């Protein structure tokens, strides 16, 4: 019987049997875990899409994502990233405030608005002009990368074929859903198979942000990890850890479900401090879902003062890496000592080493505090496609502008 191949669009990992999904993603990290992807499906406000390739009914590849809506958050909305002034990095090189900054803002705005921006008010955000001009976008993203899942037993030629089929399937799925674009916003530069497939299908590219991680692979102990660091960073580790040990604060891991109300309140405080408008009840529902479906993977290092949590971080432990997901803090407490680096960095590094995990992934942005403590920063490439040739050219030029600004900025954290 001849082999038949087909590309299908589904709407959830629940549309694929658990055994089949596990067989497909067995070599992947926690981003591919069925429970984690269901959690992401719960969080995303837009419709979820799952594009798959089957060969004689065997699942050979898949990519997972969602359509954008106005409520889609910054990291999941390419239009918000492309239109964000922060991605111009004006403060990083002293440009902000001068004529060059004015010109850069205007260039970004003109490229974002295009023909659709004519006659619109100057106070309209760039991302709204992009969304109105192009429409919704099908975004394929994981925690800090745009992942494409291959069956683990495939050779390179088969992986390349499957990648091309999946990328083409993503384009067709977007159009069938009434969307106007597809984006893979966080592709690692070394993902050559995905890069070649995106190039072949006419995507435009540019570096808009980066991801950072602590590399713990091969470390048999925490002391061995510290020994790999430059002396100034090693001194910072020891100094900050000594300060918090001498502070009288209690350091321990807590159960997410048992402490979900306090954890959610602290997380909301941090989001509000950085300009968000969070709802602690919504956060609590999401955290309860995560804690109840992945209880063995969730870690919450917490700092307590007189029996009350004053700071905490949420991490998810996978077979090859752990992922930092959120930080929460009571900003009414003046003396929090070094709660932030302990909960976000030092305790997770220890936990990763104890469990033989090769990396602590810290996500996007916030590079200074992470790199100062030894994190490795790597660019992430946004790949974008829309069938409108004029709009695609304009987005391509916008991506080139942002890459011109971001590559020198990211290079500052490369050593």
């Amino acid at each position: 019987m001849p082999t038949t191949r087909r590309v299908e669009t589904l709407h959830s990992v629940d549309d694929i049997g658990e055994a089949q999904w596990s067989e497909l993603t067995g070599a992947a990290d926690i981003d591919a875990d069925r429970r984690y992807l269901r959690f992401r499906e719960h969080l995303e406000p837009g419709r979820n899409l799952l594009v798959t390739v089957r060969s004689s009914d065997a699942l050979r590849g898949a990519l997972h994502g969602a359509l954008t809506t106005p409520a889609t958050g910054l990291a999941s909305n390419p239009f918000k990233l492309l239109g964000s002034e922060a991605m111009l990095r004006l403060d990083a090189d002293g440009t902000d405030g001068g004529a060059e900054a004015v010109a850069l803002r205007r260039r970004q705005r003109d490229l974002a608005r295009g023909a659709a921006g004519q006659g619109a008010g100057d106070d309209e955000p760039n991302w709204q002009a992009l969304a109105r001009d192009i429409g919704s976008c099908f975004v394929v993203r994981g925690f800090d990368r745009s992942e494409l899942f291959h069956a683990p037993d495939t050779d390179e030629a088969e992986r390349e074929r499957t990648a091309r089929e999946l990328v083409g399937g993503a384009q067709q799925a977007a159009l069938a859903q009434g969307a106007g674009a597809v984006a893979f916003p966080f592709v690692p530069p070394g993902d050559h198979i995905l890069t070649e497939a995106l190039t072949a299908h006419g995507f435009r590219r540019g570096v808009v942000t980066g991801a950072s991680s602590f590399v713990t692979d091969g470390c048999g102990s925490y002391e061995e990890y510290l020994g790999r660091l430059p002396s100034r960073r090693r001194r910072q580790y020891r100094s900050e850890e000594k300060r918090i040990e001498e502070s009288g604060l209690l350091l321990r891991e807590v159960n997410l479900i048992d402490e979900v109300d306090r954890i959610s309140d602290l997380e909301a405080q941090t989001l509000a401090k950085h300009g968000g408008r969070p709802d602690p009840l919504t956060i609590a529902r999401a955290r309860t879902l995560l804690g109840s479906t992945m209880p063995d993977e969730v870690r919450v290092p917490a700092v307590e003062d007189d029996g009350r949590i004053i700071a905490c971080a949420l991490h998810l432990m996978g077979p090859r890496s752990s992922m930092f997901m959120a930080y929460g803090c009571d900003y009414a407490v003046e003396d929090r000592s070094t709660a932030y680096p302990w909960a976000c960095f030092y305790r997770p590094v220890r936990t990763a080493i104890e469990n033989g995990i090769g990396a602590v992934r810290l996500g996007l942005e916030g590079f200074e505090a992470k790199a100062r403590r030894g994190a490795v920063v790597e660019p992430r490439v946004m790949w974008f496609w829309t069938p409108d040739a004029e709009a695609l050219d304009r987005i391509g030029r916008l991506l080139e502008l942002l890459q011109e600004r971001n590559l020198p900025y990211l290079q500052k954290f490369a050593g």
Side-chain angles (χ1 to χ4, degrees):
M1 181 179 295
T3 300
T4 59
R5 293 178 71 91
R6 67 183 187 277
V7 180
E8 294 181 325
T9 301
L10 308 173
H11 295 285
S12 171
V13 290
D14 285 339
D15 295 333
I16 296 176
E18 184 172 354
Q20 270 202 326
W21 186 257
S22 296
E23 184 178 354
L24 174 70
T25 61
D29 205 351
I30 195 167
D31 308 63
D33 190 289
R34 181 189 184 89
R35 297 164 299 167
Y36 174 72
L37 290 177
R38 290 175 69 184
F39 173 70
R40 285 201 57 83
E41 290 176 354
H42 170 80
L43 291 185
E44 295 292 355
R47 190 172 195 186
N48 294 284
L49 297 178
L50 179 65
V51 180
T52 64
V53 169
R54 292 183 181 273
S55 177
S56 296
D57 290 331
L59 191 60
R60 307 306 300 168
L63 56 82
H64 183 271
L67 301 178
T68 56
T69 76
T72 302
L74 177 66
S76 293
N77 194 323
F79 297 140
K80 291 183 179 180
L81 281 169
L82 290 168
S84 171
E85 183 180 304
M87 298 300 103
L88 291 174
R89 314 295 181 183
L90 298 177
D91 292 332
D93 59 2
T95 300
D96 200 12
E100 184 181 357
V102 173
L104 286 167
R105 290 189 185 99
R106 175 54 59 186
R107 186 178 171 195
Q108 181 188 38
R109 187 160 182 78
D110 288 346
L111 290 170
R113 289 162 68 101
Q118 295 179 7
D122 286 339
D123 59 346
E124 180 186 42
N126 292 335
W127 72 267
Q128 288 186 359
L130 285 164
R132 187 180 66 252
D133 184 19
I134 296 174
S136 180
C137 182
F138 175 29
V139 185
V140 181
R141 66 156 294 202
F143 174 69
D144 57 10
R145 60 187 65 158
S146 299
E147 285 199 295
L148 181 151
F149 307 121
H150 288 97
D153 61 342
T154 53
D155 60 24
E156 185 168 352
E158 167 71 6
R159 289 165 68 88
E160 291 172 350
R161 178 184 181 184
T162 302
R164 290 192 298 270
E165 291 171 331
L166 286 170
V167 172
Q171 293 171 313
Q172 293 302 314
L175 297 178
Q177 293 291 323
V182 180
F184 291 70
F186 308 129
V187 178
D191 192 340
H192 301 299
I193 289 179
L194 181 53
T195 294
E196 290 173 5
L198 293 166
T199 301
H201 282 277
F203 282 68
R204 299 290 293 270
R205 58 157 287 166
V207 172
V208 177
T209 184
S212 56
S213 62
F214 295 122
V215 179
T216 55
D217 190 35
C219 292
S221 68
Y222 187 66
E223 287 301 316
E224 182 179 346
Y225 171 78
L226 292 181
R228 294 182 178 184
L229 299 176
S231 59
R232 67 184 184 282
R233 289 174 179 159
R234 186 163 57 250
R235 286 194 299 269
Q236 182 171 7
Y237 267 63
R238 297 194 188 283
S239 173
E240 288 184 328
E241 288 192 300
K242 182 178 180 181
R243 281 171 52 201
I244 196 166
E245 288 170 1
E246 295 175 346
S247 68
L249 300 172
L250 177 64
L251 313 175
R252 69 185 183 100
E253 286 194 2
V254 300
N255 182 279
L256 175 58
I257 299 297
D258 292 345
E259 305 286 353
V260 69
D261 291 337
R262 180 59 174 167
I263 291 168
S264 301
D265 176 63
L266 295 178
E267 187 177 337
Q269 287 192 44
T270 297
L271 291 171
K273 183 177 177 65
H274 291 89
R277 301 177 62 182
D279 177 6
L281 291 177
T282 299
I283 296 172
R285 285 194 291 269
R287 297 308 174 218
T288 299
L289 173 63
L290 183 64
S292 60
T293 56
M294 305 187 74
D296 295 333
E297 289 77 14
V298 170
R299 299 287 190 277
V300 184
V303 179
E304 295 184 356
D305 184 16
D306 195 22
R308 184 172 176 79
I309 300 174
I310 62 171
C312 61
L314 174 61
H315 300 263
L316 209 57
M317 301 288 293
R320 276 162 284 283
S321 70
S322 72
M323 304 190 314
F324 165 73
M325 301 187 70
Y327 176 71
C329 186
D330 187 340
Y331 293 91
V333 177
E334 291 186 7
D335 183 15
R336 299 183 299 275
S337 191
T338 54
Y340 173 75
W342 182 83
C344 296
F345 307 146
Y346 302 154
R347 179 56 192 170
V349 166
R350 288 181 181 270
T351 302
I353 294 170
E354 290 166 2
N355 289 272
I357 292 171
V360 177
R361 292 159 60 193
L362 301 170
L364 312 165
E365 296 297 312
F367 305 115
E368 291 190 15
K370 300 168 185 176
R372 194 163 61 244
R373 294 170 175 90
V376 176
V377 176
E378 182 184 59
R380 288 291 180 263
V381 184
M382 178 184 290
W383 291 83
F384 191 97
W385 172 85
T386 178
D388 184 312
E390 186 278 329
L392 181 60
D393 178 69
R394 183 160 45 87
I395 295 296
R397 286 183 283 137
L398 179 53
L399 284 165
E400 290 171 0
L401 167 65
L402 295 178
Q403 176 162 297
E404 289 172 5
R405 302 295 301 172
N406 274 275
L407 282 181
Y409 171 72
L410 294 172
Q411 185 62 33
K412 295 180 179 180
F413 309 104

